[in-house]
Amino acid sequence: MLAIFFSSIAMAVAGFAIFHIPKRRSRGPLLLLLSCLFYLSSGAVVFELAPNLVHLYVSFIPVVFFLLLPAFWLYHDATIATDSWRWKPSMLKHFAIVPVVLCLSIALALLPSSDFQQMFFSSEPVETPWLITLAMAFAFFLMLWFILSCGYVFSIFRRTLAYHKNIRLIYADESGRKLNWVIITAALMFLTWMYALIVLTVENRLAHFGFSETGVLILLSLIVWLVAHNGIKQHPGFSETQETNTEIAQVIKTQAYERSALRKTDLLRIAAKIETAVTQDKVHLESDLSLVKLAKHVAEPPQYISQTLSQHLGTTFFDFINKARIDNACQLLTTSDHSVLDIAYATGFNSRSAFYKAFKNYLNQTPSKYRANCP
């Protein structure tokens, strides 16, 4: 009953999310990802309540597996893209193996019931050449899928870390843009596959240590919830106009592949303009300030602003602007009786949590403690 409970919950969450995906560029990959998770989550319900469908369900699990990780990767790709993401024919390479796996699934689905039972649910070894061939093919694709999964998970980890660095190049506020949940989900997927492999291998011999099919469903339910909850509300990290996105892409490309196209005199000149924009024009108090907006304010290309901050001032746009905001906040904390929340909004922060996090990061104490310790 516990297995059916978690299976039903996961199916309900995935099903709800499928019908509430917002219309944005990552909609297609997210729809495919949630559909795969819905299918996998239905296992316990199918086995317990619809045994006549078990043969069909098990037969097409390989196809779902080979759709799952590419869908996750493409969703991630759409979310971190600096340009207007859209489906491209080159992306078909992620699904190149699917037609072959589909042939395997069809062959399994067409097996007589007795052969299917012997292959998957009997302790007796298969003997006929056809069953041996199918069993070997199934094992081969399972191993291949596990290897590919490791590659996708590693790629998602690496690209997310790079994306977080790029966010700090462009924005002073990470709220709604960070993808920590993607890293957690990718790690949880890897853990679930390993856990499921152990359960499949040792069957019931480690049940007293907590290894069971119910444990697999619990982990799968967590994955479904993370993807459904965060996937629906997650906006693309660089959700700007096409013109702005082009400038953002240029900044990231310059930061990654070029050292500096600026002379020292240029760096000094641009640094002075940036300092003036902050100290006199108070641009850092704008809550939606970005590198592109700062560049327009000082009439310099965004990549030049980024290079000046990085190579001359030794910082990023994120740290530079937030340090200026914290300096202003410290002044207000000691010279006014405004609430901490009012000061947070007055200095350009969009939330209390972002203000507290930045304040502790720069001064290693809370705003309230800083105010109490000031003479």
Side-chain angles (χ1 to χ4, degrees):
M1 291 300 295
L2 194 59
I4 295 180
F5 171 78
F6 282 109
S7 180
S8 301
I9 291 296
M11 289 175 64
V13 172
F16 176 86
I18 285 172
F19 290 101
H20 290 81
I21 301 175
K23 292 183 178 180
R24 56 174 69 112
R25 60 195 190 189
S26 59
R27 177 182 174 85
L30 182 58
L31 178 61
L32 178 58
L33 174 59
L34 285 169
S35 299
C36 291
L37 291 173
F38 179 90
Y39 188 94
L40 295 176
S41 301
S42 65
V45 172
V46 171
F47 272 82
E48 292 294 330
L49 304 181
N52 292 334
L53 297 178
V54 169
H55 187 157
L56 198 63
Y57 171 82
V58 174
S59 296
F60 286 93
I61 283 181
V63 174
V64 176
F65 274 0
F66 277 92
L67 290 174
L68 178 66
L69 268 300
F72 191 26
W73 194 93
L74 290 175
Y75 167 76
H76 181 258
D77 189 56
T79 305
I80 68 174
T82 55
D83 57 358
S84 182
W85 189 92
R86 62 185 183 278
W87 174 262
K88 302 173 185 176
S90 60
M91 295 175 181
L92 284 173
K93 64 184 179 184
H94 294 283
F95 304 97
I97 198 67
V98 171
V100 180
V101 178
L102 179 60
C103 292
L104 171 63
S105 292
I106 293 175
L108 293 174
L110 294 177
L111 279 176
S113 180
S114 58
D115 288 346
F116 180 83
Q117 289 291 329
Q118 182 184 7
M119 183 173 174
F120 287 100
F121 303 108
S122 174
S123 58
E124 297 295 327
V126 293
E127 297 178 353
T128 64
W130 179 234
L131 287 184
I132 292 174
T133 301
L134 289 180
M136 291 177 64
F138 190 90
F140 170 78
F141 283 116
L142 180 63
M143 184 60 65
L144 177 62
W145 175 82
F146 182 76
I147 294 172
L148 290 175
S149 296
C150 292
Y152 275 112
V153 169
F154 176 78
S155 177
I156 289 171
F157 266 101
R158 180 179 57 82
R159 286 157 58 90
T160 301
L161 293 177
Y163 161 78
H164 284 169
K165 290 182 180 179
N166 292 335
I167 285 293
R168 286 176 168 248
L169 294 177
I170 308 300
Y171 301 104
D173 183 14
E174 299 173 302
S175 302
R177 293 189 172 93
K178 295 202 73 174
L179 294 176
N180 290 330
W181 72 270
V182 170
I183 293 179
I184 294 172
T185 302
L188 195 58
M189 281 184 175
F190 184 78
L191 175 63
T192 303
W193 309 153
M194 293 297 296
Y195 185 96
L197 187 61
I198 293 173
V199 171
L200 182 65
T201 303
V202 302
E203 296 181 349
N204 296 323
R205 292 192 292 273
L206 293 180
H208 55 287
F209 290 109
F211 288 88
S212 66
E213 294 178 359
T214 302
V216 176
L217 284 172
I218 292 174
L219 291 173
L220 185 58
S221 298
L222 289 174
I223 293 172
V224 170
W225 184 87
L226 282 169
V227 173
H229 174 73
N230 293 285
I232 290 177
K233 67 178 185 178
Q234 180 71 54
H235 290 275
F238 301 103
S239 52
E240 306 283 348
T241 63
Q242 182 60 47
E243 179 183 358
T244 301
N245 277 344
T246 301
E247 294 175 317
I248 290 173
Q250 182 61 41
V251 170
I252 294 173
K253 180 180 178 182
T254 300
Q255 191 75 16
Y257 299 108
E258 298 179 13
R259 182 161 181 80
S260 177
L262 300 174
R263 297 171 297 180
K264 187 172 182 180
T265 54
D266 294 324
L267 292 171
L268 290 170
R269 174 179 56 82
I270 296 174
K273 295 174 76 171
I274 295 173
E275 292 287 352
T276 299
V278 171
T279 57
Q280 296 184 19
D281 302 337
K282 305 295 183 182
V283 295
H284 61 289
L285 300 182
E286 298 178 17
S287 60
D288 61 345
L289 183 68
S290 67
L291 178 72
V292 175
K293 290 183 178 180
L294 176 60
K296 290 179 179 178
H297 182 86
V298 301
E300 295 286 350
Q303 60 267 33
Y304 287 3
I305 302 295
S306 182
Q307 287 184 51
T308 301
L309 289 169
S310 175
Q311 297 168 18
H312 183 68
L313 299 176
T315 186
T316 63
F317 175 77
F318 178 90
D319 289 323
F320 181 80
I321 296 300
N322 280 289
K323 179 62 168 60
R325 289 173 174 175
I326 294 300
D327 289 341
N328 266 124
C330 289
Q331 184 180 9
L332 290 175
L333 286 168
T334 56
T335 60
S336 74
D337 57 356
H338 297 309
S339 69
V340 171
L341 184 59
D342 287 340
I343 291 175
Y345 288 132
T347 52
F349 290 95
N350 287 314
S351 67
R352 181 187 181 95
S353 60
F355 177 54
Y356 266 76
K357 182 179 179 180
F359 203 96
K360 292 193 71 174
N361 183 52
Y362 291 110
L363 298 176
N364 200 31
Q365 57 182 318
T366 65
S368 300
K369 187 175 181 181
Y370 176 87
R371 170 178 268 174
N373 292 336
C374 288

